[in-house]
Amino acid sequence: MTETASLIAEATRTALDEARAAATLADLREVRVRALGRKAPMSRVRAQMGSLSEDERREIGRLLNEARGMIESALAAREGELAAREQEETLARDRIDVSAPGRRRDVGHPHPLTLMADRIVDIFIGMGFRVAEGPEVETDWYNFQALNIPPDHPARSMQDTMHVEGTDLLMRTHTSPVQVRAMQAQDPPIYVVVPGRVYRRDPFDATHSPVFQQIEGLAVDKGLSFADLKGTLAAFAREMFGPRQRVRFRPSYFQFTEPSAEVDVLCMNCEGAGCSACGRSGWIEIMGAGSVHPNVLKAVGWDPEVWSGFAFGLGVERVAMRALGVRDIRWFYENDQRFLAGFHA
Ligand code: FA5
């Protein structure tokens, strides 16, 4: 009896010591199994109680319950301490520093040619023009004939054409066919600008691309003259390139305008002094223009005795090269991110 009592006391002490010493919740679970599990000394005592007298059973039972109570509360106390410590460690490990600078994500941005085309279109919208668009795959009639360029006319060779194989269709060589489409779609007066891609069998070199962008302009009203064209384009150039910018008109030839001109702006690089960027001339050509030819008005049924106007077609890449100081048109199309990111607005 006293032997059993001291065994219980000894097992209790061991369990309490071990509970206090447990370093982790996992250690503590092992302590519980050793102290109270099926193979624990106290469980063996309980298993043998059947051979004891009534009084002894009562006394040993009381001791066992007392011991179990003490061990349970020691385990619970230690479990509380360890759980709190483990939670603190987890919080310290996973701490979020809300004041840390965020990780920068790369976001896309519009292509420099898109930004340039938008800027050009915005300037003309500011002058009262609206935007029109047309298809890139065109008929011969819209691209040439309605613009006063009959089949087999030598003027066609000015724009070497890509044809769509097996059809009568072609890739438009300029945005001018949309002049015709826009006039068919409404009555005069008309003030439109037409941004879009055009296609030519041109070499891919520093100033030419076989696919490039134009912005067409068309104004038809009563009493519009070449002077209105000059005033409009000079205002555009000042807005685009700065208040000191000058424009030069050189006589030229387009089948669909009469008179026709090629329009130059002062070279951004040398401001007219002459440098390698402008071929020493001091000027850079950016567009073709002229007064709308009476035959073009007649092609859409507008009376050239009543209505008159002007048109222009501007190369977006050429303007962008001037405005951004880009020496080679191919850089716009090579998709080198280091180049493109330089023009992030
Ligand atoms: C035309 O395309 C006429 N449709 C412009 C026009 C419209 C004249 C309305 C009169 C009235 P041109 O072929 O010159 O004209 O081209 C116009 C502009 O496009 C040129 O001034 C130049 O800036 C640009 N350009 C021409 N070819 C290329 C090319 N291969 N790559 C890049 N830009 C080009």
Side-chain angles (χ1 to χ4, degrees):
M1 166 77 185
T2 40
E3 215 175 289
T4 310
S6 51
L7 190 146
I8 293 171
E10 178 62 27
T12 307
R13 243 189 328 274
T14 308
L16 295 184
D17 287 347
E18 284 187 1
R20 263 191 298 274
T24 65
L25 288 171
D27 286 355
L28 198 64
R29 275 192 290 278
E30 281 171 25
V31 173
R32 170 183 288 280
V33 171
R34 272 200 300 280
L36 303 173
R38 264 190 307 121
K39 292 183 192 157
M42 286 197 289
S43 302
R44 285 206 300 275
V45 170
R46 196 181 289 281
Q48 288 158 11
M49 282 197 359
S51 61
L52 301 179
S53 70
E54 179 77 34
D55 286 350
E56 283 174 332
R57 256 208 317 271
R58 197 175 304 122
E59 180 56 12
I60 297 294
R62 188 183 61 78
L63 289 176
L64 281 174
N65 284 344
E66 247 176 46
R68 186 181 187 93
M70 283 162 68
I71 294 170
E72 287 283 11
S73 34
L75 287 171
R78 187 63 182 153
E79 188 179 345
E81 282 167 22
L82 289 176
R85 186 175 343 136
E86 283 190 11
Q87 191 185 22
E88 255 169 47
E89 281 168 7
T90 310
L91 287 177
R93 203 171 42 242
D94 298 348
R95 201 180 77 220
I96 296 171
D97 180 357
V98 289
S99 67
R103 237 174 267 143
R104 205 189 148 90
R105 283 180 196 279
D106 282 342
V107 282
H109 55 85
H111 191 278
L113 291 177
T114 307
L115 293 173
M116 189 55 58
D118 287 352
R119 205 170 129 201
I120 296 168
V121 165
D122 278 351
I123 293 174
F124 285 106
I125 287 176
M127 294 190 221
F129 287 74
R130 68 173 179 83
V131 175
E133 282 180 324
E136 292 177 16
V137 178
E138 261 299 4
T139 64
D140 189 276
W141 190 81
Y142 280 108
N143 197 78
F144 291 121
Q145 293 174 48
L147 293 165
N148 200 31
I149 311 175
D152 302 324
H153 193 280
R156 288 189 178 223
S157 63
M158 285 164 65
Q159 300 176 1
D160 212 350
T161 312
M162 295 193 211
H163 293 272
V164 182
E165 210 174 345
T167 70
D168 293 337
L169 300 169
L170 48 82
M171 303 308 292
R172 66 180 179 193
T173 58
H174 50 175
T175 40
S176 300
V178 191
Q179 286 186 29
V180 182
R181 290 182 177 276
M183 286 191 282
Q184 283 178 328
Q186 70 166 85
D187 292 327
I190 185 170
Y191 291 84
V192 285
V193 277
V194 183
R197 256 192 300 270
V198 303
Y199 301 81
R200 290 185 195 179
R201 283 161 52 111
D202 274 350
F204 201 18
D205 61 24
T207 52
H208 293 85
S209 168
V211 182
F212 62 101
Q213 296 184 41
Q214 286 190 336
I215 293 179
E216 190 83 8
L218 172 72
V220 177
D221 208 333
K222 284 183 178 151
L224 283 187
S225 71
F226 202 86
D228 294 301
L229 169 66
K230 289 185 82 171
T232 303
L233 295 183
F236 161 73
R238 283 195 298 272
E239 193 69 33
M240 184 77 210
F241 301 109
R244 293 194 310 145
Q245 181 56 249
R246 286 167 52 208
V247 209
R248 180 173 82 168
F249 287 72
R250 277 179 294 110
S252 184
Y253 175 77
F254 296 102
Q255 197 73 24
F256 36 95
T257 47
E258 180 59 34
S260 301
E262 256 158 356
V263 182
D264 303 337
V265 289
L266 266 191
C267 174
M268 256 65 198
N269 205 29
C270 64
E271 300 219 342
C275 66
S276 60
C278 57
R280 312 268 156 226
S281 73
W283 297 89
I284 301 276
E285 180 210 313
I286 56 163
M287 65 174 107
S291 294
V292 179
H293 196 289
N295 287 352
V296 176
L297 297 173
K298 281 187 208 152
V300 293
W302 290 8
D303 184 353
E305 297 298 323
V306 180
W307 302 101
S308 62
F310 60 81
F312 55 86
L314 157 167
V316 176
E317 286 80 354
R318 298 277 176 87
V319 173
M321 287 169 80
R322 296 314 325 133
L324 306 174
V326 172
R327 273 180 289 115
D328 195 315
I329 199 172
R330 289 169 290 198
W331 296 349
F332 288 122
Y333 291 105
E334 281 166 358
N335 285 335
D336 183 332
Q337 292 302 312
R338 288 164 303 178
F339 170 77
L340 296 178
F343 302 106
H344 195 164

